[in-house]
Amino acid sequence: QVQLVESGGGLVQAGGSMRLSCVASGRTFSNYVMGWFRQAPGKERENVATISWNGGNRVYGDPVKGRFTISRDNSKNTVTLQMNSLKPEDTAVYYCAAGITYRTWNYWGQGTQVTVSS
């Protein structure tokens, strides 16, 4: 079992920056692919960014390419999402997830709200 706790959400103006963090506890953190997802009201959940076990491979969703950066520190069991040049359409609940593979997400955090005002 892996427990994930997100932090860092809140309200920011368009063009601003925000950093989300996710701390994992339980099973060996470095065994898992980590990802950030988001879900806006009335929309389906979408994959924002994923990072491989050792951080060597990072994949981003098209809406956030060039603006968001995912990173991980296996010594601290932490994955972060640095979000720059935020847009109102980035407003959503952001979730941290851990998976055995990129297609199998086994554990989820409780989510943190990000609101970008125009």
Side-chain angles (χ1 to χ4, degrees), residues 27-73:
R27 293 177 180 254
T28 305
F29 179 71
S30 58
N31 286 350
Y32 294 91
V33 174
M34 298 299 297
W36 285 97
F37 294 76
R38 68 185 183 187
Q39 187 166 21
K43 294 187 177 181
E44 292 187 355
R45 184 177 61 197
E46 65 174 337
N47 185 199
V48 175
T50 58
I51 189 167
S52 61
W53 299 269
N54 63 358
N57 187 42
R58 310 179 193 194
V59 180
Y60 297 93
D62 286 341
V64 307
K65 283 180 180 177
R67 300 188 297 122
F68 290 12
T69 302
I70 188 171
S71 60
R72 69 188 294 164
D73 186 340

Side-chain angles (χ1 to χ4, degrees), residues 13-32:
Q13 287 189 332
S17 298
M18 184 175 287
R19 185 179 181 88
L20 304 182
S21 295
C22 173
V23 179
S25 60
R27 293 177 180 254
T28 305
F29 179 71
S30 58
N31 286 350
Y32 294 91

